[in-house]
Every structure is written in structure tokens, then in C-alpha cells.
Amino acid sequence: MTKYLTRRLIQVIPTLLFIYTITFALSYLMPGDPIRAQLGEEYYRLPPETIAAMEESLGLNRPFFVQYLDFVTRMVRLDLGKSYIQKEEVSNIIGYRLPRTLQLMAGGMFVSLIIGIPAGVISALKQYSWIDHLLMVLALIGLSMPVFWQGLIAQLLFTQSKTGIALFPVAGYGDGNPIYMILPSLVLGTSLSATIARVTRSSMLEVRGQDYLRTARAKGLTPRLVLVRHHLRNALIPVVTVIGLQVAGLMTGSLLTETIFNWPGLGRAIVPAIQTRDTPVIMGILMYGALTFIVINLLTDLLYAIVDPRIRYA
Amino acid sequence: MFKKGFAFFVILFLVALPLVAVAQNEPVILRYPITTDPEQLNPFISDTIAVGTVTRNIFESLTAYNAATGEIEPALAESWDIGEDDQGRQVYTFKIRPGVLFHQIDGVTYGEGEREVTADVVLWNYLTALNGDENVSIRAGELDVISGAKAFTEGTAEEVEGLKVLDKYTLQITLDAPDRLFLINGMVSITSPVAYEQLGEDINNKAVGTGPFQFVEWLRQDRLVLEANPDYWKPGVPKVDGIRFINFGDANTALLAYRENEIDFLFSFPDGQRAAVISEFADDFNEKPGLHVRYWGFNMNNGFFAENPLVRKAFSHALDRETAWTILAEGARFPANLGMLPPSFPASTPATTYPYDLQRAAELLDEAGFPATGAPLIASIEDVEQCWGAREGMPEVQIHLLEAISGEPQVVLWQEALTCLGVKVTFKVEDGGTYWDSIVKDDAMIFTNGWAAGLVDPSDVFDFLILEGRGSMRYNNPEVNELLRQARVELDEDARNQLYQKVHDIVMEDAVVIPSAYSKVAWLQKPWIQDFVPGGGGTYTAPLWNVSVNADLKP
């Protein structure tokens, strides 16, 4: 296990470097620069010497490889630099926002699990019944609805006294008040729950005919024990894989959810950063995003061993 | 029974009393939606609308411009004299208001007497603004009218000849040439040198001024909070306990929050919902003419349009402003039927205008040497009796558009009209970074921009868009430049307006720009908000320190 973990952790370094290089190259190739993007028409009010000095001070006039090496060297030292626009350390920006994005993702994941797994199990147990059809149609609707649309509908239904019931605040973080988190988590989790429900259902159906289930029943275990200990547990392996893969979906979904619900996470920071070509912020957020994705995938792999004791890592 | 009932009411009263007291002492906070966070709060570095929305409540200058009345009012200077020195140069002598204190915020500790604004402090602010290092200030160019300022900025002088401290509360500023707008454009937001030094780079994220509100906290893309300055020099101001600027990335979300009374104002209406929103909140709706002009510009630096004035005129005649703005955009703006200046400006009626007239546009294209040939580019267009065939020799025209305004009806309407005239048109929709890059590199032959004047003064438009090729059009006409230079130093109002009228006539005759629309300053405010009075420059110009809240009207 330790060997496996060490190997996986070492693999993180080239993976991150690869992502960093590609992202930096794309960021460099994007037309425009932060000075023009920020100043707009005001650009012409400044003397050319001032503009040149600004480019010099941000290092924008240096060749690609010099800028790239500068960024990589700083990243190795865990120095993410300073935002071109906000003049604030990128580590501070991420330090404040990453926990909030993770909080939203965790909320979304929680919602998806408590909706998706029971729905999948019920569907499988009641295969071809009206309830199975209903749940699968709902899952299809959940999969088909874009997150931003779900967000708007949820706001209309649950925050507006005129068009629904004003149960939750419209938007915001509310200084960490949990009530502000409920609606964005529901929206974020609904799409994912649809996928989880469908995978759980098909996996449950696949496992249903296995010999060990017949044996479990034959030895007199209660149906509930058979379901939880043998049926569901074995059906969960592909579900765990899907959950791991869906983390990327959660991250991109959180970008839209954050915008609709005014949630102060990474998504709300990266969009203006891209618009203003604020490369240090773009690079910093993407690196943390990539790292989060890699770590969660690693945890997912480790989780296999818990779900299925036959799996051993060496 | 009676005793029990009495006791019940006594207990109820005792329980309710502190609750009532709490309700009465609850701070009155303005909940103000914003769509963009300020880039940062350093007054020497940036002066965008997003920054100004917040910082005008924190910083003060020697004078204050009242956007609603157009008057210049005393601020940190309680009075000033304008005279001449022995060389005939214009000299301003400012008497600084004694006893004005800088904000006391976390992270700043003042020594004895360091909190007060004095002439030395104001001098330090001017010298910092004139610093040639662009990391310190980008405002030096705006102040180069001060005698000796250029030499100081360039590093060839250690002092600014035109800035003199006469005593603790008197500062004298001498100008190289008369500047009638110096009391507006020559003003610097005064910050504390002590705070500037102690906060270091954090000065970009915290602001220390003398204004009616002081900084509390800022969480980007979330909220920025100010509280009333307890030491503010003007009695009875501000009238609320604080302001909470709430960033709404999405106009729909802001509308929903407004509907649920979570914010006190609404400044941007979701696309396509303007009429519905106005109808729903008819009692809350306010509107006044604005000072912003939306225009299509031609690149005059080089290329096809620089060489073909008749084609520019033809394109100008092809824009149906009335249909675009009054009908399709639900009256979001006034159609710009005059010229580059909104109607409230002097010299706003140029001799030449370009009303929508496709027949005339077609004649101009013929005259320019691009005759129509063959079949029309499109079969038919509604409301147009005749369309013309593809034009011989006419290149395909690419028009650059900012993504944010690409959905405006004027875009489709103009494209239809130009296509009908036989001109093949494509629109290139770009985000801010790419768009400005295309313009700066002269890649954009036609583009659409807007300009928001801060003052009802032609110089606030022409000096930025027309003078010496400064604007995106790169229009550099020596005759116009000379007229604008004369107008800048002309102190007689009528003579000055005549000069601006000539400029306007020439620019419109040259057809370097197609004025499309003049803005409306429109907003919703809750019934309990009182004395919110913005100027034509936009809702951000409203002095929030005068705004009060009638708690009786709050739900």
C-alpha cells in the first residue's frame, strides 16, 4: 500500500507539470494582455512610455520561455505570485476561496449521494415497475437540465414568494450561515445524482444474479442484510469510480453555481481573471483545481480497497 | 384569572422590550448591488467606474464636483482663490479645512497630529500622484498642467515648482496654462501618508481617506463593507450607518434579490426583461438622460475605411437607431439622432447628421465607386422595399464587437441593412481582452465602443476620443486638434462652445464615428430609500452620504 501510494504521489509531479505547461501556453497564446483588458478606452490616455513601463514591470514584454521558466520556478517554490489586477497574493485569493468551493462541492456530493444511491437501489429492486420508470425519467431530466437553468428554476421556486415559497435566501454566502448553502448544493448535486442513480441501478441489476447473493439468502440472512452487506456493497464499486470521475463535473458545475448564487468560490475568481488576462490568478486556480482533482481520484482508488476487500494495492 | 392575565402581559412586555430596543438600534445599512468589483482601492493607480463607485464614499479632494447640479463645491478646501502670478500664470490658493481627520481603521496607527489633513499632506498626495513610477501612480499625465510637474515626473527635478505650502492650511498650485476644468480634473483623492506607508501593498485592498464612510472589509466578488465615519467633518452626514456593496455576477439573481427586499437598488436589468421589470416595479422605477454615448467607430489609422469617406457616410445612413433602441431594445437608450454629444451638452447639434436612409446610403456607395451588380445578397428584407446586389470592388467587412453587447438589436439590424445594400458583413465577437487587443493593433476596421463623460462638457468627450488620435478611431485631424487646444484655454463660455461646435461639425462631416445611442440612467429603488440623486454620468455618481432610509416604510 505504501509503495503504491508513493508511486502515485510521484506521478503527481509530471502530471501537474504537464497541465501547467499546457495551461500556461494557452494563457500566453490568448490575444490581449491585462493592461489593455483593464484600461479599455483609457489605454490611449496614458503615454506610451507608461504603458511600456507597465508591461516591463509585469514582465509581459519577455519571451515565452523566460516567462514560463519564471512561473515554473516560482511554482516550485510554492510562490504563486501576485495578481496583475488585484495586486494581491494569489495564495491569499485561493486560500480564501478554495475552502468555499470545496464546501459547495462537498454539499453537492452529499446531495447527489443521498438522492442518487437510494433512487438507484429502489429502481433496481422494483425493475420495470412504474416507480422504476418514474425514477429513471426523473434521472434523465436531471441529466438533461443544464446547471444554470436548474439554478434559475430553483431560485424562482424556493426563494421567491411571488413564484414559489421563499424558503431560502436568493444568493450569497451569508458569512457561513448553512442556510445559504442548501440551495446551491441541491442544484449542484441534482445533475450528479441522476448519473449516480443510473449507474447504481445498472450495477445492482448486474450483481443481482451472483452466486454469493444466493448463498447469503440460503444461509438465512435477512433481506435487509443481504441488500446492504452483499448486494449494495458489491454494486458500489462502479459507483465509486463514477463519483471519482464526476469530481471534474462538480468543479465545472460549481463555477456556474457560484455565479448564479453569488458564492465566493474559485469560479467567481477565475472568470474575471480570464477576462482580464490575469495569468497568475488563472494559473494558481487551475493548479489547485488540478491538484484537487488528482487527490480526489487517488482517494477514490484507495476507497476501492475498502469497498471491495479483494482489491489489494502493492 | 385577572392576576394571571396581568402577569402574562407583564412578562410579555418585559420579553418584548429588549427586542424592540434591538430593532431600534439595528444599524441602517444601504444594500447596494454592483456587477463588477473594483480592481483595487489605491487612488493613485486606477480610476474606473467600478473603483469610483466605492472610493467616492471614502476619499475626498480639495473640491467636490456635484454630479447632480454640476456645481463645484468645497470639500477639504473650505475656500480657494484664483489669481495670476507675475508671469501671468494661473494660480490657485486653497485654504484647507482645519481639523479634518483621516479614518481610523485596523492596521493603521497614527502618531501625534498625523491624523489631520494639512497642506503638507495634500502636497505629499500631489507629489505621489505625479510620481513617474507607474507602479506608484498612473495619474501623472492628468496633472502635467501644473508648473514643473513634467520635469518632476520625468525625474529631472526634485520638486514641483507649481506646488507650494504657504502655511499649515494653505496650498498654492500654479498652472503653466489656464485650465478651466482644473478644479475638477486637477483634483487628487487625498489619502493618509501614514496609512500609505504602514499598509504597504495592502493599500490596494484597504482605503484610508477622510470621506463620509470608512473601510471595514472586502471579500472580492462577494461584498465590500463601509461604515459611517464617526469623525466626519460635515454635521449630519452620512445619514446611514454603512454601505454593503454586494457583487451580483448575474443580473437575474440581482433582480430576484431585489424582489425579495434583499437589496435596496437595482441598476442593471436582465436582457430582454427591461419592459417587464419596469412594469412590475413601476413605483420604484426612475430614469433620467445620461452622459454616455454608444458609437460605432472606424479605424482612421489605415485601411479601407480611412481611404473611403463616402463609404463611411453610407454606413452611417444604414443604421436605424430609432427601431433598434426605441422599439427592439424597449427604450433602453435614446437613439443618437444628433451627433457625438448627448443633447444636454453644449454644441450638441452638428451641421451634418446621418438619418436612416438606405436609398441615400446606396447612392453614396455608387458614388464611392462600388456599384451594385447582379442579384441581391439576400432575397428580401422586411420593411425594406428594395435591396441592392453585391457591390463590385467592395471588400468583405469585418466588424469587431464586445461579447457583452453582441446581443443588442442594433447589431442585427445594421447587419441586415448593410447586407441589403450589397455589402458582405461579418461580426467578430470577442471578450474584453481580445477586443481591446484587436483595436490597439489596428486589426479592427469597425468596432463599437461607448464613452461615459463625467461632466456636461464637450471636452470630456472630444479630448479623449478625438484629440490627436487618442481614441480608438485614431482620428488625427490637425485642424480639429488646434480647435480643441484653443477651446481648452478659452475661458469665455460662448467662445468656447463655438469652438466645440466647429469641432463637432468637422468630425461629423468626416463621418469617423457613427453615434448610435445616448444613455439613460435608469434604476429601481425601494420606497424607503430617500434622496438618492445620481447625475447623468451614471447611478454611481449619486452621493450615498446624503441617502437616508425611512424605517417606517420597510417591511
Side-chain angles (χ1 to χ4, degrees), chain A residues 187-221:
Chain A
V187 167
L188 191 57
T190 312
S191 299
L192 184 56
S193 70
T195 312
I196 290 175
R198 291 178 72 86
V199 174
T200 307
R201 178 183 182 272
S202 60
S203 181
M204 287 283 288
L205 291 174
E206 206 176 303
V207 171
R208 189 170 58 174
Q210 297 292 326
D211 290 343
Y212 54 80
L213 283 188
R214 202 177 306 124
T215 309
R217 283 190 209 103
K219 71 182 180 185
L221 290 180

Side-chain angles (χ1 to χ4, degrees), chain B residues 378-428:
Chain B
I378 50 172
S380 66
I381 291 182
E382 208 179 324
D383 294 334
V384 176
E385 287 178 3
Q386 181 199 351
C387 278
W388 292 262
R391 293 192 175 265
E392 196 181 309
M394 169 69 77
E396 185 176 331
V397 174
Q398 193 174 60
I399 300 176
H400 288 246
L401 264 183
L402 257 177
E403 192 180 10
I405 57 173
S406 59
E408 286 180 354
Q410 61 156 345
V411 176
V412 180
L413 217 56
W414 202 35
Q415 187 179 31
E416 271 190 3
L418 291 171
T419 310
C420 176
L421 284 169
V423 181
K424 203 168 180 189
V425 177
T426 54
F427 282 91
K428 195 171 181 188

Side-chain angles (χ1 to χ4, degrees), chain A residues 82-121:
Chain A
K82 203 183 282 182
S83 159
Y84 291 155
I85 310 293
Q86 305 173 22
K87 315 284 181 200
E88 193 178 356
E89 292 291 336
V90 175
S91 52
N92 290 346
I93 297 172
I94 293 174
Y96 170 69
R97 290 173 180 279
L98 182 67
R100 279 149 186 82
T101 294
L102 292 178
Q103 195 183 340
L104 192 59
M105 285 170 66
M109 183 62 84
F110 176 73
V111 168
S112 68
L113 291 180
I114 60 162
I115 296 177
I117 292 181
V121 170

Side-chain angles (χ1 to χ4, degrees), chain B residues 418-465:
Chain B
L418 291 171
T419 310
C420 176
L421 284 169
V423 181
K424 203 168 180 189
V425 177
T426 54
F427 282 91
K428 195 171 181 188
V429 179
E430 297 167 320
D431 75 334
T434 315
Y435 176 79
W436 288 109
D437 197 52
S438 304
I439 287 180
V440 170
K441 287 180 177 161
D442 288 330
D443 287 343
M445 296 164 81
I446 307 182
F447 49 84
T448 180
N449 276 351
W451 181 257
L455 314 170
V456 188
D457 190 293
S459 68
D460 218 32
V461 176
F462 291 147
D463 284 4
F464 296 114
L465 299 184

Side-chain angles (χ1 to χ4, degrees), chain B residues 61-64 72-83 91-98 100 119 122 166-167 169-173 182-183 187 233:
Chain B
S61 305
L62 291 171
T63 66
I72 295 166
E73 297 170 350
L76 290 177
E78 55 187 3
S79 65
W80 57 88
D81 291 322
I82 307 172
V91 178
Y92 288 80
T93 308
F94 294 96
K95 281 281 174 197
I96 292 162
R97 195 180 297 280
V100 176
V122 178
L166 300 186
D167 61 46
Y169 297 114
T170 313
L171 181 80
Q172 196 176 70
I173 301 180
F182 182 72
L183 288 175
M187 295 297 102
W233 55 269

